[in-house]
C-alpha cells in the first residue's frame, strides 16, 4: 500500500521547472541562467522574485526592469550616434521564444511555460523615427558598455 501511495504522489505532482536566463550587452552568452521550480503568477513576479532571491542588483518592478546587473539607466542608457541617430538601451524579454508586446506582469506563467529570456537591447531612433526595438545590444557591442 505504501508503494501505491508513493507512486500516486509522484504522478499527482509532476516535476516542473522553468529556465530564467539573462543575456547582457556584450556577449550572446548568458550572464545568468537558473532553473525555477517555484510557482509564480506572471513573468514580472518570477523575474523580480528570482533576482531578489539570488541577490542580483536590479531596479524595477513586476511591470519591467530599468536595470539588472548594474546596467545603466536614464541618460546613461542613451547613446548619441550622430545628429540624426540615437540608441536607447534597456531590458527586453521573451517567453518560449516569443517577445510579447506587453508588460511582464501581464504574461501569466503556466505549467506549459518553459523559458523566460531577458536580454539587454536597444531601440534605434533614426531621422526622427523609432525604427527598431529590442535589438540585442551584443550584436553591436556598444563601446560605452563593452570596453
Amino acid at each position: 500500500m505504501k508503494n501505491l501511495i508513493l507512486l500516486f504522489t509522484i504522478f499527482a505532482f509532476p516535476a516542473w521547472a522553468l529556465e530564467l536566463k539573462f543575456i547582457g550587452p556584450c556577449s550572446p552568452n548568458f550572464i545568468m541562467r537558473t532553473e525555477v521550480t517555484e510557482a509564480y503568477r506572471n513573468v514580472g513576479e518570477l523575474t523580480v522574485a528570482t533576482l531578489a532571491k539570488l541577490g542580483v542588483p536590479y531596479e524595477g518592478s513586476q511591470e519591467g526592469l530599468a536595470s539588472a546587473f548594474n546596467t545603466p539607466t536614464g541618460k546613461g542608457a542613451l547613446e548619441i550616434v550622430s545628429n540624426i541617430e540615437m540608441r536607447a538601451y534597456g531590458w527586453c524579454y521573451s517567453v518560449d521564444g516569443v517577445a510579447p508586446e506587453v508588460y511582464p506582469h501581464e504574461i501569466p506563467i503556466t505549467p506549459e511555460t518553459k523559458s523566460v529570456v531577458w536580454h539587454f537591447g536597444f531601440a534605434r531612433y533614426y531621422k526622427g523615427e523609432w525604427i527598431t526595438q529590442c535589438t540585442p545590444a551584443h550584436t553591436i557591442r556598444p563601446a560605452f558598455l563593452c570596453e
Side-chain angles (χ1 to χ4, degrees):
M1 183 68 166
K2 287 182 184 179
N3 290 342
L4 184 59
I5 292 171
L6 177 61
L7 186 62
F8 174 76
T9 302
I10 290 171
F11 288 109
F13 303 101
W16 174 82
L18 175 146
E19 271 195 318
L20 176 63
K21 307 173 204 176
F22 282 80
I23 301 171
C26 303
S27 168
N29 299 324
F30 301 115
I31 57 175
M32 186 190 93
R33 179 179 177 184
T34 189
E35 189 173 271
V36 178
T37 56
E38 297 87 3
Y40 293 101
R41 292 176 297 196
N42 57 63
V43 171
E45 182 180 75
L46 161 82
T47 300
V48 297
T50 304
L51 290 174
K53 178 180 175 182
L54 296 177
V56 174
Y58 76 93
E59 294 176 38
S61 67
Q62 292 184 28
E63 287 79 23
L65 291 178
S67 176
F69 304 92
N70 298 310
T71 53
T73 61
K75 290 180 181 179
L78 297 177
E79 179 184 22
I80 307 301
V81 178
S82 70
N83 63 345
I84 61 169
E85 183 178 7
M86 174 182 72
R87 295 184 191 117
Y89 292 85
W91 287 97
C92 303
Y93 74 99
S94 63
V95 178
D96 294 331
V98 176
E101 301 246 352
V102 296
Y103 294 109
H105 73 286
E106 297 179 79
I107 299 295
I109 297 292
T110 69
E112 291 77 35
T113 307
K114 302 296 179 216
S115 173
V116 174
V117 178
W118 286 86
H119 73 271
F120 198 68
F122 66 89
R124 182 175 176 220
Y125 184 80
Y126 185 72
K127 292 185 177 180
E129 293 183 49
W130 291 101
I131 60 172
T132 66
Q133 66 178 19
C134 287
T135 303
H138 68 81
T139 61
I140 60 167
R141 292 186 41 83
F144 82 103
L145 293 170
C146 301
E147 292 181 3

